[in-house]
Each structure stands twice: as C-alpha cells, then as structure tokens.
Amino acid sequence: RMTLLCALYFAQGVPWGFMDITMINYLIQNGVSVGEAAGVSALILLPWTFKLIWAPLIDTVTIRSMGKRRPWIIGAQFLMAITLIGVLMVPDVTADYRLLGMMFFIHNVFASLQDVSTDALAVDILPPDEQGKANGMMWASKLVGYGAGGAVFARVMEASSIQTAVVLQIAILAMIMILPILWLERPGEKRFPWSSGKGSSEAKQNISSLAGLGRNAVLAFSLRTTFVFVVFTLVHNIGPEIGKFMAKGICIDRLGWSHVEVSDMRGFALLPELILVLLGGFLADRWGRRTVLIIGMTS
C-alpha cells in the first residue's frame, strides 16, 4: 500500500519540479522576464484549484467493478504522461513561453485529478492510526520527485535537450502507472473492464450521491473553523510564492547564476522540509492531527 501511494505522489512531483524549477529558471536565464515567468508558474498552479471539482466527481462516478478509486488513478496517470507530449510540440520554449504555460496547465489538470484520487484511496485503505505517517511519507515522496524534477532534469537538459528530459519523464510516469494496474483495491475486482471479476459490496456501499456531497460541502464551508482555515492558508502561501520569484530574479539576473545552479539550490533546500514532513506525519499519529496542525501553522 505504501509503495503504491508513495510512487503515485513521486509521479506528481517529478513533472512539477521540472516545470516549476527547471523550466522557470531556464526561461528567466534566456530572456523571459521574472513577471512573465511568474505568469507561466501561475498556469502550473491554477489547475490544483480544480480539486474542489474532482473530489465530488470521483466520489460519485466510477467503474465499480474495478474499484472505487483505481479507474480514476489509472486514467489520470495515463493522461499525465500523454499531456507531457504537448511540451515536445512547443517549437521554441523561450519565444512561445505562453504556449508552454498552457501545456503545463493541461498536464496539471490531470495531475490534480490523480492527487485527489490518490488521497481518497489512502483514506479508504489505510487505518486511522497509520494515516498521519502515510501522509508524511507520501508528501516526502512528492518532494523527492519535485527536487529530482528540478536538480536532476536541469542537468539532463544541460547535457542533452529539453526533449530528452521530457521523454524520460514520460517513461517514468508510464512505469509508475504499472503499479495501479497490477494492484487491486479489493480481492475479486476486475483488473481491466474486460477482465473477469465484480465490484465488492463495500465499494458499492461507499459510493455517495452528488446531492449528498453537495449538502456536506455547504455544511463544511458554513463552519467558522473551515472559513478561518481557508483564509489563513491562502494568506500563508502568498509570501513564499513572492519570495520564490524574488530569489530567482536575484540569483539569475543579479548574481549571474545559471539555471542549473539555481535548480540545484532549490533541490537541496527541500531537505529540511523533507525531514519535517516525515516527522510531522509521525507526530500526527502520536499527538493528534489537530495539535500538530496548530504547531505547524503557528511556527
């Protein structure tokens, strides 16, 4: 279970790091302004707001005989790999950086779908006393992929080409897709739509109605605690994003660093975060999620 969940999160991290670190740094180094590069980065992040749409959809629509989450994961992972081909179609990434941003946007639409499906699967198959540790390990896997997508693929680009870096990522995503194909959510389910098997009674009972999910969503967002959490999280993320682009502009424009050096710096800077997410997941299972959440958000 943990191998599958961590591999799927790693699959999200590799292209994300390549897009958000390597390619953004490359664009700035090759004449694209920091403001224009920030616009491309915004296109990378925008599809992750679609998680609000994906969540009720995957809870109500599925191929039940193949499991509740697995069809969504396989489909999203496949489309993550396919949409990277769009990056290969951009003739000149520095001249056509807006087109490049749209290719990144399309890829991350399906990356966000895979993320929601994987989170839902984790909640379904993990006992409550393992969910904190598992979440820490999953996020750590995503950070490893993110760092590799930045530092490693910056060097691949430097040694070969953008096309080589993208093809290697497509191969990584395709290999990871084998795991959810081989693994079944519950015994007796179908591996493929044409395989023998049937949906389990547990999966069928857990399918929710869209109307019920809508009522629950309205109820959740009517709570003061939910509203405060959303506002705090939004404000909390503004500062780091501004600082990220200020650092890139200073390092590349003012200090003359290459995009490879800036990508290396960003990759190694993830090490403290990697340690803390693993620690946070472990402590969440021991001390309780609310306690660890308060410590993390106020420190």
Side-chain angles (χ1 to χ4, degrees):
R1 295 177 301 181
M2 290 306 305
T3 299
L4 173 67
L5 295 171
C6 290
L8 290 170
Y9 257 59
F10 178 81
Q12 297 172 30
V14 172
W16 180 34
F18 173 72
M19 296 171 187
D20 192 47
I21 300 177
T22 302
M23 290 306 302
I24 296 298
N25 292 337
Y26 180 84
L27 292 177
I28 295 173
Q29 180 180 304
N30 287 276
V32 178
S33 71
V34 174
E36 292 167 332
V40 176
S41 185
L43 287 173
I44 297 171
L45 295 174
L46 183 60
W48 292 87
T49 62
F50 296 174
K51 293 169 72 171
L52 288 171
I53 301 172
W54 297 138
L57 184 62
I58 67 172
D59 272 345
T60 54
V61 180
T62 188
I63 304 175
R64 299 186 185 187
S65 60
M66 291 180 62
K68 189 177 179 183
R69 316 298 185 186
R70 189 167 154 268
W72 284 105
I73 291 173
I74 295 172
Q77 184 75 17
F78 174 74
L79 291 169
M80 283 170 64
I82 292 298
T83 51
L84 280 179
I85 297 174
V87 179
L88 300 175
M89 305 299 180
V90 180
D92 183 346
V93 295
T94 54
D96 302 310
Y97 63 87
R98 291 187 179 87
L99 176 59
L100 179 69
M102 287 307 302
M103 296 299 103
F104 288 167
F105 175 89
I106 294 169
H107 169 85
N108 280 285
V109 168
F110 298 108
S112 67
L113 174 58
Q114 193 256 49
D115 179 72
V116 175
S117 304
T118 303
D119 287 346
L121 178 66
V123 172
D124 283 352
I125 66 175
L126 293 173
D129 60 349
E130 291 183 15
Q131 289 177 4
K133 178 179 66 176
N135 189 259
M137 292 177 66
M138 289 161 64
W139 188 252
S141 300
K142 189 170 186 174
L143 288 177
V144 171
Y146 182 75
V152 174
F153 282 98
R155 297 187 177 279
V156 171
M157 278 177 50
E158 194 72 9
S160 182
S161 64
I162 294 174
Q163 289 74 19
T164 301
V166 173
V167 169
L168 286 175
Q169 290 173 73
I170 293 172
I172 291 171
L173 296 186
M175 287 188 291
I176 291 175
M177 188 175 68
I178 295 173
L179 293 178
I181 290 176
L182 294 176
W183 182 81
L184 300 178
E185 285 185 43
R186 297 169 182 86
E189 293 176 341
K190 292 182 178 181
R191 194 174 306 281
F192 302 103
W194 55 86
S195 303
S196 60
K198 62 179 182 179
S200 68
S201 58
E202 181 183 352
K204 292 179 180 179
Q205 290 170 359
N206 290 337
I207 298 294
S208 304
S209 69
L210 192 58
L213 288 170
R215 288 192 297 269
N216 289 337
V218 171
L219 176 61
F221 281 94
S222 67
L223 298 175
R224 183 182 301 173
T225 51
T226 306
F227 178 77
V228 171
F229 178 79
V230 170
V231 172
F232 182 88
T233 304
L234 177 63
V235 174
H236 172 75
N237 285 326
I238 292 175
E241 289 301 315
I242 295 174
K244 178 175 70 177
F245 276 94
M246 289 179 63
K248 288 178 179 180
I250 291 171
C251 291
I252 295 175
D253 289 343
R254 303 288 180 86
L255 300 180
W257 290 18
S258 71
H259 76 93
V260 176
E261 291 172 323
V262 179
S263 297
D264 282 346
M265 177 192 69
R266 178 60 179 143
F268 288 120
L270 293 173
L271 183 59
E273 187 176 354
L274 181 67
I275 295 171
L276 287 173
V277 295
L278 290 171
L279 179 62
F282 173 77
L283 293 178
D285 285 338
R286 289 182 63 89
W287 296 353
R289 301 169 194 175
R290 185 183 182 88
T291 301
V292 176
L293 180 64
I294 292 172
I295 293 173
M297 295 184 73
T298 55
S299 59

